[in-house]
């Protein structure tokens, strides 16, 4: 089995996780910028984090022969402070030329507030001006349905944004249709309690097809499973999907979307 | 997969989750003090299991979701609790 982990917060994981993922067939790992679990107190804190994502973490992954990529942003959980967010967004362009950067993410909404929306629009503008791919985080639990609708409105109202260059992550049964119908890619996040199980992800593949869809573990510092993607692949096999169908979902689909960035797997091109 | 195969694959797991849910409601019954809106939300979402169409998961999720469309004035917390208070 080979797979790409398109969404994992490896700065929060132990080295053994790298080893396990490589042993399970992981061919590349992509790390969106994320909330640390506490608020960073200044733009300098984000500067250091962006250095970690573009310098230190790729070196850590390389020890296991694993290509590491990242996405940059200030995450929606820290977007209530628009002044801080504006300063952090101002730091991002100088990192966009680094070889492992794939685009702007994970941007989006958390509690669906006005300031979060403002900061989302700033990020979308940044991505459009720099011709970057976009990875979107949709809110948790009761806020997801509303937030997904608001996010789609923002993306669709900017004529510079091409839906095939945006992935809307953490979809579930009540949001996947609106994302795919609007022409975007959709990500299914495999979390034991708060998002999607392997069985439900296979349900959605059966119902909506496997185009413009990927699966990720979104493993971070919370309860999450770094090997969730290979486990979901096993569930696909249990449900009668062929090895080719599994390969499409966990390897070829992320490869297809991410290859829209010239940086992704550039050593293989 | 046909229904027989799906039952073979998932019946015991679904049975176990159903008993867990029943035991959770029993536990709440036995406990003292006031429940909050989450109990109503969960009880109401249970009705979606009786839908005649294969859209139960979607409607359970919708039932537990904020249905409004306007952004809130400001985020006062970062967390989500899994149910929308104003609906209960
Ligand atoms: Zn994430």
């Amino acid at each position: 089995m080979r797979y790409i982990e398109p969404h994992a917060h490896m700065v929060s994981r132990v080295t053994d996780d790298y080893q396990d993922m490589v042993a399970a067939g992981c061919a590349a790992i992509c790390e969106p910028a994320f909330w640390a679990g506490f608020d960073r107190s200044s733009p300098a804190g984000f500067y250091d984090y962006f250095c970690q994502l573009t310098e230190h973490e790729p070196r850590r992954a390389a020890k296991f022969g694993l290509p590491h990529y990242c996405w940059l942003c200030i995450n929606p959980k820290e977007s209530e402070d628009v002044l801080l967010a504006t300063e952090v967004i101002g730091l991002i362009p100088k990192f966009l030329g680094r070889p492992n950067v794939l685009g702007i993410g994970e941007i989006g909404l958390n509690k669906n507030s006005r300031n979060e929306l403002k900061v989302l629009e700033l990020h979308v503008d940044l991505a459009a001006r720099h011709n970057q791919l976009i990875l979107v985080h949709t809110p948790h639990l009761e806020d997801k349905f509303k937030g997904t609708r608001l996010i789609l409105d923002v993306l669709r109202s900017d004529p510079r944004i091409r839906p095939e260059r945006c992935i809307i992550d953490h979809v579930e049964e009540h949001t996947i249709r609106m994302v795919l119908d609007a022409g975007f890619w959709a990500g299914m996040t495999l979390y034991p309690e708060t998002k999607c199980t392997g069985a439900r992800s296979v349900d959605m593949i059966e119902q909506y097809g496997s185009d413009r869809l990927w699966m990720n573990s979104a493993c971070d510092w919370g309860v999450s499973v770094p090997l969730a993607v290979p486990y979901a692949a096993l569930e696909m096999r249990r449900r009668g999907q062929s090895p080719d169908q599994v390969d499409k979902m966990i390897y070829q689909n992320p490869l297809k979307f991410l290859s829209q960035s010239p940086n992704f797997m550039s050593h293989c091109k | 997969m046909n229904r027989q195969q799906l039952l073979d694959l998932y019946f015991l797991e679904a049975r176990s989750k159903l008993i867990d849910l029943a035991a959770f409601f029993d536990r709440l019954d036995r406990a003292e003090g006031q429940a909050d809106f989450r109990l109503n939300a969960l009880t109401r979402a249970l009705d979606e299991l009786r839908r005649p169409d294969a859209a139960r998961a979607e409607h359970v999720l919708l039932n537990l979701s904020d249905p409004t469309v306007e952004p809130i004035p400001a985020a006062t917390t970062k967390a989500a609790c899994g149910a929308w208070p104003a609906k209960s």
Side-chain angles (χ1 to χ4, degrees):
Chain A
M1 190 191 316
R2 57 179 183 174
Y3 77 100
I4 291 167
E5 172 53 83
H7 187 147
H9 301 289
M10 298 310 290
V11 304
S12 310
R13 305 300 311 189
V14 296
T15 304
D16 289 356
D17 293 332
Y18 272 123
Q19 209 160 14
D20 291 345
M21 292 166 89
V22 172
C26 190
I29 203 156
C30 310
E31 175 151 6
F34 183 50
W35 187 51
F38 60 92
D39 289 351
R40 297 173 180 91
S41 60
S42 69
F46 285 88
Y47 183 92
D48 290 345
Y49 179 44
F50 297 156
C51 289
Q52 184 180 17
L53 289 176
T54 55
E55 295 168 16
H56 174 72
E57 205 58 37
R59 280 199 297 268
R60 202 172 155 230
K63 286 184 185 149
F64 302 92
L66 193 56
H68 175 282
Y69 300 92
C70 70
W71 302 76
L72 302 176
C73 73
I74 174 168
N75 70 87
K77 279 197 169 79
E78 285 168 293
S79 292
E80 199 54 37
D81 182 344
V82 178
L83 182 62
L84 172 71
T86 308
E87 287 177 338
V88 174
I89 289 170
L91 296 174
I92 293 175
K94 66 171 73 109
F95 288 90
L96 291 177
R98 298 204 171 178
N100 75 328
V101 176
L102 298 174
I104 303 302
E106 53 185 308
I107 58 173
L109 298 172
N110 183 50
K111 294 306 292 180
N112 304 321
S113 76
R114 287 181 197 148
N115 282 355
E116 289 174 14
L117 261 179
K118 226 177 270 173
V119 174
L120 170 61
E121 286 165 354
L122 291 174
H123 277 116
V124 170
D125 174 65
L126 175 73
R129 281 187 286 114
H130 294 271
N131 195 30
Q132 295 291 309
L133 298 177
I134 291 177
L135 188 155
V136 177
H137 160 96
T138 53
H140 302 277
L141 304 171
E142 74 272 19
D143 300 315
K144 183 181 297 293
F145 179 69
K146 173 178 179 176
T148 304
R149 288 197 291 182
L150 288 169
I151 288 163
L152 291 183
D153 286 347
V154 168
L155 292 170
R156 281 186 296 212
S157 68
D158 190 325
R160 299 169 297 174
I161 297 302
R162 286 160 47 198
E164 70 274 17
R165 289 173 56 81
C166 307
I167 179 133
I168 315 292
D169 218 333
H170 319 318
V171 299
E172 290 181 71
E173 288 87 341
H174 58 327
T175 55
I176 184 171
R177 193 184 307 117
M178 66 171 112
V179 169
L180 292 176
D181 283 353
F184 295 93
W185 280 71
M188 296 183 292
T189 296
L190 304 154
Y191 266 13
E193 279 175 0
T194 52
K195 289 190 170 71
C196 185
T197 61
R200 285 169 55 204
S201 74
V202 185
D203 293 337
M204 286 189 266
I205 295 166
E206 287 175 356
Q207 286 175 270
Y208 296 97
S210 60
D211 292 335
R212 284 188 286 122
L213 203 55
W214 78 27
M215 299 192 287
N216 58 69
S217 75
C219 59
D220 57 18
W221 42 260
V223 177
S224 48
V225 182
L227 293 181
V229 172
Y231 288 147
L234 295 179
E235 189 67 19
M236 287 182 74
R237 295 289 287 133
R238 286 212 308 163
R239 290 275 286 272
Q241 304 231 358
S242 70
D244 283 350
Q245 286 171 307
V246 172
D247 188 63
K248 179 174 188 242
M249 179 54 59
I250 66 174
Y251 184 81
Q252 293 172 41
N253 276 6
L255 180 66
K256 186 175 175 188
F257 177 82
L258 297 166
S259 291
Q260 295 180 93
S261 160
N263 286 348
F264 191 70
M265 299 296 225
S266 54
H267 60 287
C268 306
K269 285 173 185 164
Chain B
M1 292 184 106
N2 63 33
R3 288 189 178 131
Q4 198 61 58
Q5 290 168 319
L6 286 172
L7 283 166
D8 289 344
L9 200 53
Y10 291 122
F11 175 76
L12 281 178
E13 185 187 330
R15 178 184 186 276
S16 159
K17 287 178 176 170
L18 183 61
I19 295 166
D20 261 347
L21 194 58
F24 172 60
F25 282 115
D26 288 347
R27 205 174 302 139
L28 283 167
D29 271 354
R30 288 194 305 272
E32 291 177 358
Q34 288 290 315
D36 65 31
F37 65 94
R38 291 173 293 178
L39 177 56
N40 277 342
L42 205 58
T43 309
R44 199 185 44 242
L46 272 181
D47 292 341
E48 300 293 355
L49 298 188
R50 299 198 178 278
R51 291 179 69 85
D53 56 352
R56 297 178 190 89
E58 177 183 353
H59 283 272
V60 165
L61 284 160
L62 285 173
N63 218 291
L64 295 167
S65 294
D66 178 352
T68 65
V69 293
E70 287 301 316
I72 61 171
T76 53
T77 169
K78 293 189 201 295
C81 71
W84 189 59
K87 207 191 260 181
S88 303

